[in-house]
Amino acid sequence: MSAAFALTDLDLARLPGRRDEDWRWSDLRGLIRQPVEVSPELDRPAAPGGAFIGLARDEFVFANGQLNDWPQEALSPALAFHLHDDPGAARMADVMPMAQLAAERHVGPPLHILTVRAGETAAIRFRFISRATGTGHHLRLGVMLEAGAQAVVLESYEGQGEDYLANVALEFYLADGARLERIAAADEAESAISVSSAEVHLKPGAAFAQTLLVGGAKRQRFETQISHPGGGADVRADGVYLVGGRRHADLTSVVTHEAVDGTTSQLIKGVARDQGRGVFQGRIVVAEGADRTDARMGHHALILSDRAEVDAKPELLIFADDVQCAHGNTVGRLDEDALFYAMQRGLPPEAARALLTEAFVGEVIDRVEHEGAREAARTWVSERLGGG
Amino acid sequence: MLSISNLHASVEDKPILKGLSLEIPAGEVHAILGPNGAGKSTLSYVLTGREGYEVTQGGATLDGEDLLALDPSERAARGVFLSFQYPLEIPGVPALTFIRTALNAQRKARGEAELSAPEFLKLAREKAQSLKIDFDMLKRPLNVGFSGGEKKRMEILQMAILSPRFLILDETDSGLDIDALKIVADGVNALRGPDRAMLVITHYQRLLDYIRPDRVHVLADGRIAASGGPELALELEREGYDKYARAA
Ligand SMILES: Nc1ncnc2c1ncn2[C@@H]1O[C@H](COP(=O)(O)OP(=O)(O)OP(=O)(O)O)[C@@H](O)[C@H]1O
Ligand SMILES: [Mg+2]
């Protein structure tokens, strides 16, 4: 989250760069050399759109970092929506470190907090629209699930400008037994810099699942930090990156198992074409005493052109005994024999490639639980891979 | 229908086919037998356009059209079908999806209307039933985890659905149990007709008891070493390839 704050403050000296171990493949410092002016506020509600359109009852639109539209009186009774410094939100500062920090510092954009009430169910959509050219914007948002609450959160990152800097910092808090599925689709401009960081705090018995669909930008980073309490809590941290043109996409995650009996499963698939560049950094830490942890990580990428590149750093850091951990990492090309087979049956070369590539990525999509979002995710992938 | 003349082809600069000529008129079934490594599969790959199989001399035409100038999918759309000696696995693509995509791609290339999902399902069900293939198997990713015999049956199912005009069967009998061989042969025979032709590559007379060939050829050392009627296959079964190996 430090990068998010450095960006918000536009403290150029604190921006991470090549020399920072966790940012060496996604240098920001070399890219942002001058202060960036704040993007203007939109003067009217944004038109409907984005991936996941129509899939959630409650929809919150943020444009250029500002709250642009939300249900207001029509808000589902399962939800509450606050600014961090109003009384309804104050108590959340205790459990949400980002909220706390924001409250203490009173700088940067306002922090909104959305609460799903105990035992309630909600389908929530966040649209993060960037309609800016040459400016930057920042957004902070907390999502809190009270005990036993269940929610699906659908995020669409919609780039409608150029050369902008978009910085989204999210925090998720899941109380005992809460369940959250987060699916995000990022379509930023090829000239944009886009950073989305999420901190996830879970209580025992909670379940957090995410699927990130990332199309890349001039520099794009999706970072997820998950503190895992064990105690039957379950985490799935999946993602897909598809980079073409000269786009860059970085999926970075850290899952820290802090106590016994936690499970984590991660499957990331990437496709790099043209001069695209994909980065995966996945770290699973099993702290001392976090016995009986079951953690599995897989990253598999296809490189479809000679000038495309994929950098991967899967890490399992295990300080406990009696754990089940496994990871797999492959970077390769499409199977030429399978391609020939598909063409022999009548698929033109491009269609054969698209079919096999989509199938490769499909394994991640199949793990999305929310049915509507799963089909939207499939469409997102197939539109970008040029299949039928 | 298919005309191959003086075909020379190399794999990784190693000459494999060395002046092979063959005429297969419409309506006929020709069998090719020959020792291991003679170039039988190479011939099937050259005819279907697999990368890495370099034609250095000679040519092949289908109904007068230069086959070698077309990419593999264009050849498929013209009706060329190869039942692979070793069918590939296609992870993540259900067999039904794969076959339907292939069929519609072929139809589109020929300027025909695509088949709707219900139309396709009806066709697939009917063909699966006639080949005694459990329909549920078609919902699984194509060939992934299928047994050798199941993969061969799946080839014939695809053939039955795609309804090609020129069929190449590369050792389709290997790996099939006796009942499956009979079912597969029935499936192949159902496609015999005046507008179609077949090239059947095999090592065993048994398949030819079910799929009766009009002509039998011996492929040895990259060319046709002998041709004859069905009796040639019986002779080979008795005497082996010794004679042809020496000649080569
Ligand atoms: N990719 C390759 N690289 C090098 N040599 C190859 C390659 N493919 C085939 N060959 C060689 O070409 C020759 C012919 O092989 P081919 O597979 O056509 O034989 P075949 O007649 O089908 O044999 P079998 O009866 O065993 O199936 C063999 O000597 C084989 O080793
Ligand atoms: Mg062979």
Side-chain angles (χ1 to χ4, degrees), chain A residues 173-193:
Chain A
Y173 177 85
L174 280 67
D176 299 68
R179 305 181 70 85
L180 174 63
E181 182 173 32
R182 174 193 185 209
I183 300 132
D187 296 295
E188 300 284 15
E190 187 161 3
S191 55
I193 298 173

Side-chain angles (χ1 to χ4, degrees), chain B:
Chain B
M1 184 130 189
L2 184 84
S3 171
I4 305 172
S5 71
N6 191 31
L7 189 64
H8 291 251
S10 303
V11 180
E12 289 174 4
D13 293 328
K14 179 181 162 199
I16 309 289
L17 300 183
K18 304 166 185 173
L20 186 148
S21 297
L22 194 60
E23 296 285 336
I24 307 181
E28 293 194 4
V29 172
H30 289 212
I32 287 194
L33 293 88
N36 293 129
K40 302 182 297 298
S41 293
T42 301
L43 174 63
S44 73
Y45 293 143
V46 168
L47 292 176
T48 49
R50 189 167 195 160
E51 224 174 288
Y53 291 76
E54 209 68 45
V55 175
T56 53
Q57 209 185 317
T61 59
L62 183 71
D63 297 327
E65 188 180 13
D66 180 5
L67 204 53
L68 306 183
L70 305 173
D71 82 26
S73 66
E74 293 165 332
R75 299 182 201 195
R78 302 290 194 283
V80 177
F81 181 96
L82 167 62
S83 170
F84 283 61
Q85 184 173 0
Y86 306 105
L88 274 297
E89 300 187 353
I90 309 287
V93 186
L96 274 176
T97 308
F98 181 85
I99 304 171
R100 184 175 161 219
T101 310
L103 177 62
N104 280 335
Q106 285 198 17
R107 294 180 69 100
K108 199 172 152 201
R110 291 193 293 258
E112 300 165 8
E114 295 190 5
L115 237 56
S116 72
E119 285 169 330
F120 173 77
L121 278 180
K122 185 165 173 283
L123 176 68
R125 245 180 234 289
E126 190 186 297
K127 300 294 182 191
Q129 199 166 26
S130 69
L131 291 167
K132 299 205 164 60
I133 290 174
D134 179 8
F135 193 73
D136 279 341
M137 202 157 108
L138 300 182
K139 296 171 183 164
R140 285 163 52 189
L142 181 63
N143 290 339
V144 178
F146 291 13
S147 76
E150 287 170 341
K151 287 180 184 174
K152 292 298 176 74
R153 258 196 249 203
M154 205 52 80
E155 294 290 280
I156 301 307
L157 174 70
Q158 292 178 61
M159 198 173 82
I161 293 174
L162 296 171
S163 184
R165 298 178 51 242
F166 185 76
L167 291 66
I168 307 168
L169 306 181
D170 191 355
E171 294 195 25
T172 296
D173 47 343
S174 67
L176 289 181
D177 64 47
I178 296 161
D179 294 340
L181 184 69
K182 178 99 180 54
I183 292 166
V184 161
D186 288 347
V188 173
N189 285 328
L191 281 168
R192 287 180 91 143
D195 302 327
R196 293 199 175 93
M198 296 184 194
L199 184 60
V200 179
I201 298 170
T202 184
H203 287 294
Y204 304 106
Q205 171 60 35
R206 201 181 51 177
L207 179 69
L208 303 181
D209 291 339
Y210 294 112
I211 305 173
R212 302 285 302 164
D214 297 292
R215 301 279 295 163
V216 174
H217 309 276
V218 180
L219 202 171
D221 193 31
R223 55 178 83 86
I224 301 298
S227 297
E231 72 287 349
L232 179 57
L234 295 166
E235 180 198 314
L236 289 169
E237 187 107 309
R238 285 195 310 271
E239 298 175 12
Y241 297 114
D242 262 13
K243 173 158 110 187
Y244 304 103
R246 266 199 305 278

Side-chain angles (χ1 to χ4, degrees), chain A residues 256-293:
Chain A
T256 308
H257 282 263
E258 285 149 358
V260 295
D261 292 326
T263 51
T264 291
S265 161
Q266 179 167 52
L267 182 63
I268 307 282
K269 294 235 177 165
V271 178
R273 300 186 288 186
D274 309 322
Q275 296 182 61
R277 184 170 187 204
V279 173
F280 166 68
Q281 302 184 107
R283 188 183 304 147
I284 296 180
V285 182
V286 182
E288 202 179 315
D291 293 342
R292 297 193 302 269
T293 290

Side-chain angles (χ1 to χ4, degrees), chain A residues 80-99:
Chain A
F81 189 55
H82 298 286
L83 268 178
H84 75 85
D85 52 1
D86 74 33
R91 65 201 161 89
M92 285 163 230
D94 300 338
V95 291
M96 299 174 82
M98 186 176 86

